[in-house]
Amino acid sequence: MLADTYALGAATGVEGPLLFLKRTVNVGLNEAVEIEETEGPSRLGYVAALDHDVITVEVMDSTRGMSLADTRVRFHGERLQFSVGPDILGRVFDGVGRVIDGGPPVSATETFNIDGLAINPAMRASPTDFIETGISTIDIMNSLVRGQKLPIFSGSGLPHDELAIQIARQSRLRGSDVGEFAIVFAAIGVPFDTAERFRHAMESSGALEHTALFLNLASDSSTQRLLTPRYALTAAEYLAFVEGRHVLVIMTDMTNYCEALREVAASHGVVPSRKGFPGYMYSDLATIYERAGSIKGVPGSLTQLPILTMPSDDITHPIPDLTGYITEGQIVLDRILDRADIYPPVKVLPSLSRLMKDGTGENFTHPDHPALANQLYAAYARAVHVRVLASVVGREGLAGIDQLFLDFGDNFEQQLVHQKSARTLEQSMEAGWELLRVLPVSELTRLDDEQIKQYISAKPE
Amino acid sequence: MTHATINWISESVLRASTHRPFRVNETALVGHQQLLGEVIRIKGDEVIIQVYEDTTGLRPGDPVSGTGSELSVHLGPGLLGNIFDGLLRPLASQGVHVEPGAGRQPSAKTYPFKPSVVVGTRLTSGTVFGTVHRPDALAQHCLVPPDCEGEVVEISPAGEYTEDHPICTLRRPTGETCAIAMAHYWPVRQPRPIAEHLPTEGPLFTGQRILDSIFPLACGGRAAMPGGFGTGKTVLQETLAKWCDADVIVYVGCGERGNEMAGVLHEFPALEDTRRGRPLMERTVIIANTSNMPVAAREASIYTAVTVAEYFRDQGMRVALMADSTSRWAEALREISGRLGELPSEAGYPAYLSSRQADFYERAAHVRTLNGEVGSLSIIGAVSPPSADFSEPVTTHTKRYVRCFWALDATRAQARFYPAIHPLLSYSEDADVLNTFWKEHGNPSWPAQRRRFLTLLEKQARLERMARIVGKDALPPSQQQVLLSAELINEAFLRQSAFSAKDRFCSAERQIQMMNIISQFIDLSEAAIEQPVSVEAINQLPIMRRLRRMGEDIAEDEMKKFDQLRNDMLSEFTQLTRSAATNAS
């Protein structure tokens, strides 16, 4: 469509985020609209339903102060688009891709539909490049690989932002082909200071010129939150698949996104599913998370690290539950560990990385890496089980072997989970072997005789 | 072709007015892009259509045309070894992104055809008129489409033809002729006809100990594996797809992850089928509707997959269908039902959810085909219950239609104990019919051993609860021995690593060896504690570590090592009881 189309004074009603217009222009479904007012910035929306007489527009912004008479609606004739170019790095945008750092507008080289297109599963490259984050519990036990989507399940008040910042700063690829990297940060309904802390951390580490920030702050409209991750991911896709960079996308906080989704669904009169969230929340979240990946024959990759705060720390709540079904694992943070001053407070048992098997072991990290992770998991699970017993019968009531496991559990948390600075994979692995050495060999059933000989029996100097 | 015009549209559902007769379930082409859709309801002059693709840009006044036929898929020799979307359009020939409006282009690829009939042969529907043997796949039959029969009046000689090239002409008894090709279309929602149902016999052997020996699935059976996220559903589905002894695997990723599909495509061509020594990909058809692809097509993908599976079953093959996950399919039903404003039933699902599930699972069967051969279709469906709550509607309804229930347990998965199938929540109704299988493989005591293992695991759960109160040491030796035996069953037998080269597949012979050794251990330790020998002393025997690791240490071609292991176990026990006797005197 060449020219934009306008409709002036066609509005017949406003209901929540929905604006009803007389169908005076011929527009198509899902096409973007801009609602222009005599003063103030325009509001974005899209055509949600159409019949012969009425256009239903969903306004992706607050409808406060909107009137029918002087509402002027501009139709774009296509979906919401975002114009991107190499300049977007180092810049700050609002939740709908408008520059807010006071600088000049970005010079765009390409324009993309913000919803993206589903990557053909036959064209996806299988992710196998191990990323070393410097965090032992992630590197050894829940390894992150390029192109993965690995969320952090956290709770309010837990140090998930620090962890995300640390990962963004420390992550490196082992081996020679490092390639160019970039970070895209999407703040979804977070307080100003969280966004500012992130910006500051990137600035102080000198990574700001590799970072694009998209800020939808807590004070911004909640319906706009549905667009923020889409703008951010469009930028990330451009950086990854057009410029060939390795992009890490950090999105915080996905819980706010889902709350906004519920709000909008309710105003549409959608039959609510669990806890009032719409039944299509799974599909909707998938359109965001599935944009991670890498493509055959294209150099870049898009890795996602979404953060969500579990309402009342409940992992069975629909938001973490549906997220866990879509993402390739999860890193769970724990309040009890946090209280014990263990940082990062990663609760390893419910944490998981599904792509770990493809990026660890021989040819990727270290041949004995998977066995070590397995043995640590088995031993720590047993320690947690013994802890439950000990809470009733006391340490004295335990068999000798169970007491060893009890100690193992405490040491594991103090020496492996807790860390003051980044560790290389080798340092992390050595810490893991060290912990296992206190256990009797007969209990280390996930290690083969060769590994026992090499790491457990023969204590290195 | 019948025509209509759109007068209302929202998301993937539209209403169109027409004066022409449309039929329910008829396929429609929507808009100028000719998007694929299906008529789901008719009300007077108005038809309601669900569109399987992105509806952006559609508007009132756009044309809709009916094709006159139901949603059908193209079944032919080109299916094996390839990946398709939920409507069976090849994905390999598409670009980086899945674009809407991509129709099925007739492929120019040719396949070597060899006729098996001569002019004058009378053929009925479902019978074989030739074979195709692609060098990179199994030999396949060419079937007379189920709606066609008559006398052969023309048949092409052996040679290379495309899938859609007419190579055989039949004259019906009524006199009219029909030309048939190697490939034909079949409506997905309609089960393909068979001659008769046969009683199930023999297992779908999976090479997984906890399945074959404890909760076996009969060939032509139905199984469900429910589990919360991260309990290993997908890995187990993939493991079954890799190692089960079916001739053809149809793997449908319904609303699941794109990277997982990429993983399968990356891994399967490199793995070898244990029975044929050929790449696994050659016996596999992958149908991928990832979670970000249109929801309406997700609903159809399950039917597409089962139709493809039936097509191979009708060629007299053993087919296994892996559906991951049926919950996403149920959610797609719910989403579409919600858009239509239907009255929601339990948890927002439509009231017809359970009958749709029944229709799907009932298509699994052990049958005599129209061609007189024996074929089977086994269905293994993953279920993803919200919050891992097995009382939700999809899981409870599934339970009514399956015979094997493999419940996945988060606690086991968190300890990286895979397969995380919970032995006390799972069941198999097929165990009784499989006695003969184990007897033929040399283990007549299989039913008793299986019962004993399950009883011990049950007792373990009870005793652990007690130990939590009184402490493990306070339990009498006989109960401690039960705990030790159950722990050994778990560690040595039920745990099996899908990533261990030696243990990812376990033959019937090896399963029997391991089951026997563990049974013998239970006997020996029961006898030992009567001596009395402390359970702690048994646990400290060097043999324990070797027993716990026997799955990963002893490969398929090292069966002799089991005898060694057994002898060492016997001598260690003899020594232990002897020294206990010496100490006592």
Side-chain angles (χ1 to χ4, degrees):
Chain A
M1 203 169 282
L2 291 173
D4 291 337
T5 327
Y6 288 91
L8 182 61
T12 57
V14 183
E15 246 173 65
L18 300 183
L19 171 69
F20 300 94
L21 305 171
K22 277 193 293 240
R23 190 160 166 264
T24 53
V25 287
N26 186 16
V27 293
L29 194 69
N30 290 343
E31 288 175 0
V33 303
E34 232 172 289
I35 299 135
E36 297 173 348
E37 313 263 332
T38 37
E39 53 195 71
S42 57
R43 310 176 210 228
L44 288 174
Y46 72 95
V47 179
L50 277 170
D51 67 17
H52 274 303
D53 311 314
V54 180
I55 301 172
T56 311
V57 169
E58 181 168 330
V59 185
M60 305 305 284
D61 209 329
S62 139
T63 47
R64 201 179 43 176
M66 201 182 257
S67 71
L68 299 182
D70 52 357
T71 299
R72 186 174 139 100
V73 181
R74 189 157 68 90
F75 294 90
H76 289 212
E78 54 192 7
R79 286 196 152 202
L80 280 176
Q81 309 273 318
F82 185 29
S83 298
V84 287
D87 296 357
I88 58 173
L89 286 177
R91 304 300 302 271
V92 185
F93 302 87
D94 71 355
V96 288
R98 292 180 289 223
V99 175
I100 52 166
D101 55 4
V106 294
S107 52
T109 53
E110 313 222 13
T111 297
F112 293 101
N113 178 345
I114 63 155
D115 290 304
L117 279 168
I119 301 177
N120 180 353
M123 291 301 287
R124 277 180 187 267
S126 198
T128 52
D129 294 336
F130 174 80
I131 299 177
E132 188 179 286
T133 63
I135 315 271
S136 299
T137 39
I138 296 178
D139 288 349
I140 317 187
M141 302 175 74
N142 297 289
S143 314
L144 177 68
V145 296
R146 271 182 181 170
Q148 186 173 11
K149 38 191 182 292
L150 188 66
I152 298 175
F153 285 9
S154 183
S156 350
L158 293 179
H160 42 263
D161 295 324
E162 283 84 341
L163 183 61
I165 289 170
Q166 214 180 342
I167 292 175
R169 271 164 44 169
Q170 296 171 358
S171 291
R172 64 185 190 102
L173 199 70
R174 297 157 60 83
S176 50
D177 168 40
V178 175
E180 286 212 69
F181 77 101
I183 295 166
V184 173
F185 178 79
I188 307 163
V190 300
F192 175 76
D193 46 313
T194 305
E196 188 53 26
R197 186 163 46 187
F198 188 85
R199 197 190 62 79
H200 183 75
M202 286 298 110
E203 199 167 27
S204 63
S205 68
L208 196 62
E209 69 250 39
H210 296 289
T211 309
L213 292 101
F214 291 79
L215 307 181
N216 168 276
L217 301 178
S219 53
D220 290 342
S221 121
S222 67
T223 30
Q224 233 180 48
R225 277 174 207 153
L226 300 183
L227 297 177
T228 309
R230 299 194 158 84
Y231 275 98
L233 285 166
T234 306
E237 278 172 348
Y238 161 78
L239 292 169
F241 304 132
V242 177
E243 289 201 0
R245 292 170 192 266
H246 296 288
V247 184
L248 179 68
V249 183
I250 297 173
M251 296 185 284
T252 180
D253 170 342
M254 288 305 287
T255 303
N256 295 336
Y257 175 87
C258 295
E259 294 289 344
L261 194 69
R262 174 163 68 177
E263 199 177 318
V264 170
S267 65
H268 279 250
V270 172
V271 180
S273 172
R274 273 194 302 157
K275 298 215 169 169
F277 290 99
Y280 57 75
M281 190 157 89
Y282 176 85
S283 305
D284 189 275
L285 284 173
T287 59
I288 293 175
Y289 296 138
E290 276 291 321
R291 290 170 81 171
S294 45
I295 297 172
K296 278 181 194 162
V298 177
S301 68
L302 200 165
T303 310
Q304 285 187 14
L305 204 64
I307 297 170
L308 59 88
T309 48
M310 298 181 280
S312 352
D313 293 349
D314 175 14
I315 199 169
T316 65
H317 186 279
I319 299 173
D321 192 50
L322 294 180
T323 299
Y325 274 122
I326 304 165
T327 53
E328 281 131 2
Q330 64 278 337
I331 302 294
V332 183
L333 301 191
D334 183 39
R335 209 168 284 283
I336 297 173
L337 289 176
D338 185 51
R339 242 177 247 139
D341 225 5
I342 288 170
Y343 177 86
V346 176
K347 193 176 183 181
V348 293
L349 290 186
S351 299
L352 169 76
S353 165
R354 290 168 192 271
L355 300 182
M356 177 170 176
K357 61 180 188 335
D358 303 320
T360 57
E362 188 128 39
N363 301 331
F364 301 107
T365 52
H366 189 283
D368 297 323
H369 179 173
L372 171 64
N374 237 322
Q375 183 62 65
L376 284 173
Y377 260 111
Y380 185 62
R382 172 128 180 224
V384 169
H385 182 75
V386 170
R387 232 178 240 176
V388 177
L389 286 182
S391 66
V392 183
V393 298
R395 188 187 166 88
E396 301 70 35
L398 294 176
I401 179 85
D402 284 345
Q403 292 190 5
L404 284 177
F405 272 102
L406 200 61
D407 293 340
F408 170 83
D410 293 339
N411 292 338
F412 178 85
E413 287 165 6
Q414 292 296 340
Q415 294 166 23
L416 192 87
V417 180
H418 184 66
Q419 60 186 95
K420 289 202 178 69
S421 53
R423 295 190 189 126
T424 63
L425 178 69
E426 285 69 24
Q427 288 168 334
S428 297
M429 283 183 70
E430 184 40 46
W433 293 122
E434 179 66 40
L435 288 171
L436 291 175
R437 282 185 201 121
V438 304
L439 295 175
V441 168
S442 61
E443 297 293 333
L444 302 178
T445 52
R446 310 284 172 101
L447 303 178
D448 63 27
D449 293 346
E450 201 51 47
Q451 287 158 343
I452 294 276
K453 213 162 85 193
Q454 193 179 348
Y455 301 104
I456 305 294
S457 318
K459 195 175 171 138
E461 291 308 308
Chain B
M1 280 245 181
T2 45
H3 296 281
T5 36
I6 299 178
N7 50 27
W8 176 90
I9 177 152
S10 170
E11 307 259 328
S12 66
V13 176
L14 63 85
R15 296 199 205 116
S17 52
T18 178
H19 300 292
R20 301 295 184 132
F22 272 81
R23 286 184 303 169
V24 173
N25 291 104
E26 178 175 348
T27 310
L29 301 174
V30 177
H32 302 291
Q33 267 183 298
Q34 303 226 314
L35 306 174
L36 208 52
E38 185 177 359
V39 178
I40 43 179
R41 213 184 268 176
I42 302 174
K43 211 189 266 174
D45 284 352
E46 202 168 63
V47 289
I48 298 179
I49 292 172
Q50 70 169 325
V51 185
Y52 290 121
E53 303 181 80
D54 183 22
T55 48
T56 298
L58 288 179
R59 59 197 72 196
D62 277 358
V64 174
S65 51
T67 60
S69 62
E70 280 186 45
L71 179 65
S72 302
V73 291
H74 184 258
L75 304 167
L79 290 172
L80 279 180
N82 283 316
I83 177 168
F84 301 88
D85 75 356
L87 304 170
L88 213 65
R89 294 177 296 198
L91 282 172
S93 57
Q94 292 196 33
V96 168
H97 297 288
V98 183
E99 308 259 0
R104 204 194 76 82
Q105 304 300 328
S107 158
K109 202 168 168 203
T110 60
Y111 300 93
F113 168 78
K114 210 189 266 173
S116 60
V117 294
V118 290
V119 172
T121 318
R122 280 200 52 79
L123 292 177
T124 52
S125 64
T127 51
V128 175
F129 66 92
T131 51
V132 176
H133 201 160
R134 278 163 53 182
D136 60 345
L138 300 169
Q140 301 180 61
H141 288 324
C142 299
L143 300 178
V144 177
D147 53 354
C148 196
E149 58 176 339
E151 190 184 323
V152 178
V153 289
E154 207 183 321
I155 176 100
S156 302
E160 294 271 334
Y161 302 95
T162 61
E163 282 187 306
D164 299 314
H165 183 83
I167 45 179
C168 179
T169 311
L170 299 184
R171 190 187 303 116
R172 294 178 197 263
T174 52
E176 52 189 318
T177 59
C178 61
I180 53 183
M182 279 186 259
H184 62 263
Y185 282 89
W186 184 256
V188 295
R189 296 185 202 277
Q190 197 178 327
R192 287 174 64 95
I194 52 166
E196 60 170 331
H197 278 275
L198 298 173
T200 49
E201 57 173 52
L204 181 79
F205 191 79
T206 63
Q208 308 302 307
R209 290 186 287 274
I210 189 164
L211 300 185
D212 297 330
S213 290
I214 309 288
F215 303 113
L217 170 65
C219 200
R222 308 176 291 274
M225 47 170 97
F229 63 84
T231 50
K233 285 183 300 294
T234 304
V235 174
L236 188 55
Q237 287 271 22
E238 285 178 16
T239 307
L240 294 181
K242 284 174 198 162
W243 310 119
C244 84
D245 66 345
D247 299 316
V248 171
I249 303 289
V250 180
Y251 191 99
V252 52
C254 173
E256 287 293 314
R257 306 174 183 89
N259 277 339
E260 260 159 23
M261 292 291 128
V264 170
L265 282 178
H266 178 77
E267 195 178 7
F268 275 36
L271 284 173
E272 222 171 59
D273 181 353
T274 41
R275 293 187 305 153
R276 287 190 198 85
R278 302 281 308 164
L280 274 179
M281 199 61 206
E282 292 185 357
R283 66 163 193 179
T284 310
V285 181
I286 298 175
I287 293 168
N289 178 278
T290 55
S291 52
N292 55 344
M293 284 154 92
V295 171
R298 188 181 306 163
E299 191 265 332
S301 68
I302 285 279
Y303 296 103
T304 302
V306 75
T307 306
V308 169
E310 283 179 343
Y311 167 68
F312 288 107
R313 174 205 68 192
D314 289 349
Q315 298 176 34
M317 298 192 195
R318 288 155 61 92
V319 186
L321 170 68
M322 318 286 165
D324 184 16
S325 137
T326 58
S327 293
R328 305 292 161 234
W329 167 63
E331 282 167 11
L333 278 181
R334 175 170 71 184
E335 215 171 309
I336 293 160
S337 152
R339 280 212 198 98
L340 294 175
E342 289 172 344
L343 203 59
S345 161
E346 223 179 330
Y349 288 106
Y352 48 77
L353 170 69
S354 91
S355 57
R356 291 286 171 88
Q357 282 180 301
D359 291 346
F360 167 66
Y361 280 108
E362 273 308 297
R363 289 172 80 166
H366 187 225
V367 304
R368 188 172 311 284
T369 65
L370 293 177
N371 195 41
E373 290 168 297
V374 176
S376 71
L377 167 53
S378 316
I379 295 184
I380 298 162
V383 183
S384 320
S387 322
D389 168 17
F390 289 179
S391 66
E392 59 93 39
V394 181
T395 317
T396 46
H397 290 312
T398 302
K399 256 182 154 168
R400 292 162 51 201
Y401 307 119
V402 298
R403 293 178 60 83
C404 290
F405 188 73
W406 301 327
L408 298 174
D409 176 43
T411 315
R412 284 180 174 242
Q414 291 185 354
R416 301 303 188 260
F417 184 106
Y418 291 119
I421 295 173
H422 195 296
L424 302 182
L425 296 178
S426 308
Y427 59 79
S428 161
E429 294 176 47
D430 288 337
D432 292 342
V433 298
L434 300 176
N435 282 349
T436 3
F437 171 83
W438 288 106
K439 209 179 272 172
E440 278 166 12
H441 280 77
N443 190 9
S445 46
W446 175 73
Q449 283 177 346
R450 173 175 180 267
R451 194 48 57 203
R452 187 181 196 188
F453 279 19
L454 284 173
T455 320
L456 278 169
L457 293 166
E458 175 91 54
K459 277 189 192 157
Q460 178 198 30
R462 218 176 41 230
L463 291 175
E464 294 236 304
R465 275 199 297 275
M466 210 186 311
R468 213 169 273 183
I469 301 165
V470 300
K472 225 185 231 174
D473 286 354
L475 296 178
S478 64
Q479 294 187 339
Q480 291 190 30
Q481 184 268 340
V482 167
L483 288 180
L484 183 68
S485 307
E487 190 255 348
L488 187 69
I489 294 171
N490 272 316
E491 271 295 316
F493 195 73
L494 302 187
R495 183 165 70 84
Q496 187 175 357
S497 166
F499 306 114
S500 151
K502 281 183 184 171
D503 206 25
R504 57 193 185 189
F505 175 81
C506 190
S507 67
E509 287 66 30
R510 204 152 71 95
Q511 297 194 17
I512 292 170
Q513 287 281 7
M514 293 174 73
M515 231 173 164
N516 282 337
I517 285 192
I518 293 171
S519 301
Q520 211 171 351
F521 171 85
I522 301 168
D523 292 338
L524 287 169
S525 57
E526 268 175 4
I529 55 164
E530 296 294 323
Q531 285 296 327
V533 169
S534 77
V535 173
E536 193 53 33
I538 300 177
N539 194 25
Q540 278 169 3
L541 290 177
I543 197 77
M544 290 305 291
R545 178 179 153 81
R546 289 170 61 198
L547 285 174
R548 288 185 183 125
R549 284 193 52 85
M550 65 182 163
E552 269 165 76
D553 284 345
I554 305 180
E556 286 297 329
D557 52 1
E558 301 172 329
M559 290 299 195
K560 289 237 163 59
K561 285 194 180 170
F562 281 110
D563 297 333
Q564 181 68 41
L565 187 67
R566 184 176 295 116
N567 290 338
D568 291 351
M569 178 170 73
L570 281 172
S571 64
E572 282 189 24
F573 265 99
T574 320
Q575 216 174 354
L576 189 68
T577 46
R578 196 177 296 148
S579 62
T582 328
N583 287 347
S585 63

